[in-house]
Amino acid sequence: MLYTIQHIAGIIGAESRIVSDNAIEQLVIDSRKTVFPNTSLFFAIRGERRDGHGFIGELYENGIRNFVVQKAFDISPFPLGNFLLVNDVTDALQQLARWHRQQFKIPVIGITGSNGKTIVKEWLYQLLSPEHNIVRSPRSYNSQLGVPLSIWQMNEQHTLAIFEAGISQKGEMEKLEAMIRPVIGVFTNIGDPHDEGFADKQEKVFEKIKLFTRVGSLVAAKDTIEPFLSVEGAQRSMIPSSAKIISWSRKEDATIRIIQEERTENGTSLKLLLNGEETELTIPFSDRISIDNAVTCFSVLFHLGYEAPLIASRIQQLEPVEMRMQLKKAVNNCYLLNDSYSNDLSSLGLALDYLLQQAGTQKTTLILSDILQSGLPDKKLYESIAEQVAARKIYRMICIGPAMLQHRAILEEKLSSVQLSFYLSTENFIEQLPQESFRDEYILLKGARIFSFERISKWLEQKVHQTVMEINLSAMRHNLKQYQQLLRPATKLMAMVKAFSYGSGSAEVARLLQFHKVDYLAVAYADEGVELRNAGISLPIMVMNADEAAFESLVHYSLEPEIFSFGLYHSFEKFLRKQGLQQYPVHIKFNTGMNRLGFETSDAKVLAALIHERKTMAIKSVFSHLAASESAAQDGFTDQQVMLFTKACDQLQEVTGYHFLRHIANTAAIFRKAEYQFDMVRLGIGLYGVESADSGKLQLQTVATLKTTIAQLRWVKAGDTVGYGRKAVLGRNTHVATVRIGYADGFGRELGNGKACMYLNGKLAPVIGNVCMDMTMIDVTDIPGSKEGDVVEVFGPNLPVQQVASWAGTIAYEILTGISQRVKRIYLEE
């Protein structure tokens, strides 16, 4: 369908100033993700912390000419722009999505539930693709903003749509239902996520089933929702009486009943009762959640008229859905972004955007296979691929597959500035292209499953031992938002990325923070700041421990030092005068009771006079460090620190005559002492999922997960010993697992001899004997089924790093920052 800006103005009922009636193809809500400026329409969404209207100037400079804004916005500075003025920009976006959805008569499947929405959506896509050209929600686009962007993808080539709907509080589902208008509803399950937004689970179910107020049929797990869904109650009455209910159950009568369930070596074997007839189903997974999701998918296909044997054969071929993109260290100083989640035009765009976000100023390479079952004519498909690659200025593109070769001329014509190479198959590529051709670049792998791109991934990955630390960047983004929502609108945020970002990887974390518009970064030493600059980080960076040896680097890389003593002040001031520099940005630190670094507050006037008189430095911020902000028992001392800090700041400002940022609140104070936010706060360990105040009130997610594997298993008889020094004398016949981690990796010797445990197959396995340099032994006697190669969690979502720190007699900071650089970091992005 073709839309113009004038057409859209009529659809959303907007007042308008239209200079040119442009064609619109893309809807944009994130100013950082504008790829095709000429055909994009930007919706200036106002959020809790950011207002899209504040980015219109930047977008206008970058060539965007089409905007939806609130009526009060001043459009006069943008004479060439088309502006649609509305009362509520989010409502306008949803109104456009509703109109677009109504133009299509194809079946639409709407999925909701607490968990499993994305897995069920992707598996239905796998199962139904042979017969249908399917449009579906990209990744987890299931929110008030994600759903309209998903619906906008619908076009005339599609024969089926599958959309997710996710809510976190009352009143949201009605809007999603009005946009999606599902014909077939799927309710996956009900669980704990977003409980805080509802009075109880019954209210949560009541809200979620509002997605199904106009469906013709509903697929649901009877065991899951029946306790909350009274047949006679108000909830049941919301589902049309004419709607056909397709239920499945392990216990009760249902459309599909599981009468036998048996774990096998390759998954799970089920016996189902369908309309009085038995049928067998083999699922290539053994965990309960995957089984439930697979049975839900079976139920949908059964309702659509597919024969049970055909459904069973397709379900046997289901593959795990990788929910997150993985960023790994690769050969020759490269990074490899493996996105095996999906392979279509919309997901390609998302992955390319993430590639650019991570690569910064470094070269980018795309390795792409044929895109199968796009529903587009081949010429249009490969023209669209070329447009996506060209718009993002990708340096090199490696094309794999017969269709790529067939359409080589199109790609070469439209990508004349891109280094192109073509291969018939994955095997040809690996055989013909040496590893040495990849160096100092970021590589995106995007391939259909039949091309087995996992072989390319293994070929390119840097060879390391099997202990890894996974860094979940999506969880970090969530934690950032948890703290941002506690800040006043004008309060800035400085993120601490010192000590290799608490062990998580400085450059990778800094790119995420820069992308999400954190105001400042802080590092411990100038070398860390130089590394970030070389990685393309342009945010202001404060260096907390500058010395004379680093002065040249500070100036060359535009790093801003913390000045904490008169000795450091005079040394840096002398350097600046020698360089002929004036008004160099610095940060002044006062000691208000921590007694570590900082000027005494009584020196404020003397310091202010020096800075004012010599003018070689300009104060960007003044700060101090709270000693015990996490402790209610120390609140009196905290208040005293703030009083001293405020007095010193006032004296500095009185003498210098200008405003500077003030900040004293650290991670704990952001939550506990909101009145001390001043102009900026400093977020540290909370960003990484550890709440220093330990209140339990913040919904932080685990960022770092340290994993290893079992190298060897052996039975050791009672009375024998294990490890150096024969410290562990066994009291029983013991199944001992040797795992690939030791004190050289950061798992300290203090955790040996039963003080700590590791997590394996749902249980804790105690450490036996002394921790070795590269290996540790654990007791798996009570964990049947353990085998060599099993993954062991050292800390993570099942075994919090705080618990490991407690066993070690230290704090989570030390455990995280102590993980060796030889442990490979893998970055995950949902």
Side-chain angles (χ1 to χ4, degrees), residues 97-111:
R98 289 194 299 271
W99 196 94
H100 186 66
R101 162 67 182 91
Q102 290 169 14
Q103 310 314 303
F104 299 92
K105 305 302 180 184
I106 62 175
V108 174
I109 300 175
I111 306 173

Side-chain angles (χ1 to χ4, degrees), residues 423-678:
Y423 300 88
L424 179 63
S425 66
T426 301
E427 291 78 9
N428 294 152
F429 164 73
I430 294 174
E431 288 170 3
Q432 296 177 30
L433 196 65
Q435 282 186 341
E436 287 71 25
S437 65
F438 296 94
R439 187 170 299 277
D440 301 320
E441 59 194 287
Y442 278 70
I443 305 162
L444 170 62
L445 274 184
K446 200 84 171 101
R449 285 182 172 85
I450 63 170
F451 287 91
S452 301
F453 269 23
E454 64 271 12
R455 295 175 56 195
I456 301 177
S457 178
K458 291 176 181 177
W459 180 66
L460 285 174
E461 284 178 31
Q462 193 177 57
K463 300 299 184 287
V464 294
H465 74 112
Q466 295 181 46
T467 297
V468 300
M469 188 149 81
E470 293 181 349
I471 309 300
N472 189 330
L473 297 177
S474 296
M476 183 175 289
R477 181 175 64 243
H478 166 86
N479 296 341
L480 174 64
K481 290 180 179 179
Q482 285 285 298
Y483 283 98
Q484 284 179 327
Q485 69 186 9
L486 301 174
L487 303 181
R488 294 188 293 265
T491 303
K492 297 181 182 295
L493 189 144
M494 174 183 282
M496 314 303 288
V497 293
K498 59 182 181 176
F500 197 53
S501 288
Y502 292 71
S504 296
S506 300
E508 293 77 15
V509 169
R511 289 191 188 101
L512 175 82
L513 298 172
Q514 178 169 275
F515 187 75
H516 290 283
K517 299 192 179 295
V518 163
D519 301 287
Y520 251 96
L521 299 178
V523 298
Y525 296 101
D527 289 350
E528 295 175 317
V530 171
E531 179 187 347
L532 294 183
R533 288 288 185 247
N534 288 333
I537 302 302
S538 58
L539 283 174
I541 299 174
M542 181 177 79
V543 179
M544 304 184 76
N545 295 294
D547 57 26
E548 288 190 53
F551 288 169
E552 189 69 47
S553 293
L554 290 174
V555 172
H556 183 73
Y557 289 96
S558 299
L559 306 174
E560 302 173 7
E562 167 191 320
I563 305 297
F564 53 78
S565 69
F566 283 111
L568 180 58
Y569 168 81
H570 288 300
S571 295
F572 193 51
E573 201 276 334
K574 180 180 178 181
F575 172 83
L576 293 174
R577 276 191 289 111
K578 187 176 180 180
Q579 300 296 317
L581 297 173
Q582 288 190 325
Q583 301 295 313
Y584 193 86
V586 298
H587 302 262
I588 303 299
K589 183 172 187 179
F590 281 110
N591 172 39
T592 57
M594 183 77 170
N595 294 319
R596 186 174 61 181
L597 291 176
F599 291 96
E600 301 306 324
T601 55
S602 57
D603 293 329
K605 288 185 177 179
V606 175
L607 175 63
L610 285 170
I611 293 173
H612 179 64
E613 176 185 340
R614 298 184 181 181
K615 292 184 170 51
T616 50
M617 303 180 200
I619 302 173
K620 291 296 293 292
S621 83
V622 177
F623 71 105
S624 186
H625 201 109
L626 296 176
S629 60
E630 73 279 358
S631 172
Q634 298 293 335
D635 279 352
F637 187 78
T638 297
D639 295 340
Q640 181 182 341
Q641 283 192 271
V642 174
M643 180 189 68
L644 291 170
F645 171 69
T646 302
K647 182 178 179 182
C649 287
D650 290 344
Q651 291 175 341
L652 266 183
Q653 187 162 329
E654 182 181 353
V655 175
T656 60
Y658 59 81
H659 174 77
F660 43 74
L661 298 173
R662 304 183 184 199
H663 52 108
I664 195 169
N666 52 12
T667 298
I670 294 173
F671 178 72
R672 293 199 62 252
K673 291 288 184 179
E675 66 271 27
Y676 297 149
Q677 289 181 8
F678 290 100

Side-chain angles (χ1 to χ4, degrees), residues 14 282 514 777:
T282 299
Q514 178 169 275
M777 286 69 75

Side-chain angles (χ1 to χ4, degrees), residues 402-421:
M404 285 287 190
L405 282 168
Q406 184 180 348
H407 297 89
R408 179 172 185 162
I410 293 175
L411 295 172
E412 287 179 337
E413 178 188 352
K414 294 186 173 296
L415 296 174
S416 57
S417 62
V418 178
Q419 289 189 13
L420 291 171
S421 55

Side-chain angles (χ1 to χ4, degrees), residues 61-202:
E61 289 297 318
N62 291 333
I64 295 284
R65 290 293 181 266
N66 307 296
F67 304 91
V68 179
V69 299
Q70 290 192 297
K71 287 183 177 179
F73 181 72
D74 180 12
I75 65 175
S76 60
F78 314 103
L80 300 179
N82 296 319
F83 283 88
L84 309 187
L85 294 92
V86 297
N87 291 322
D88 188 295
V89 176
T90 300
D91 284 350
L93 174 64
Q94 294 179 349
Q95 188 174 350
L96 178 58
R98 289 194 299 271
W99 196 94
H100 186 66
R101 162 67 182 91
Q102 290 169 14
Q103 310 314 303
F104 299 92
K105 305 302 180 184
I106 62 175
V108 174
I109 300 175
I111 306 173
T112 194
S114 296
N115 299 292
K117 296 185 292 294
T118 301
I119 298 291
V120 168
K121 175 199 70 186
E122 290 301 317
W123 280 354
L124 286 176
Y125 177 79
Q126 291 181 35
L127 295 167
L128 294 169
S129 286
E131 290 78 36
H132 290 282
N133 179 17
I134 302 172
V135 58
R136 69 199 193 280
S137 308
R139 299 194 172 273
S140 297
Y141 276 37
N142 57 29
S143 66
Q144 300 293 312
L145 300 178
V147 166
L149 297 182
S150 299
I151 290 170
W152 184 253
Q153 298 178 111
M154 297 177 76
N155 63 47
E156 294 85 349
Q157 280 77 39
H158 295 124
T159 61
L160 178 68
I162 309 175
F163 298 126
E164 297 179 46
I167 60 172
S168 58
Q169 60 188 16
K170 289 183 64 176
E172 292 183 333
M173 190 59 87
E174 293 95 332
K175 295 180 179 180
L176 300 186
E177 190 280 334
M179 289 184 282
I180 297 172
R181 295 186 63 182
V183 176
I184 300 170
V186 177
F187 197 119
T188 56
N189 60 28
I190 193 71
D192 296 333
H194 303 299
D195 273 356
E196 66 276 8
F198 306 94
D200 51 33
K201 279 192 170 61
Q202 183 132 354

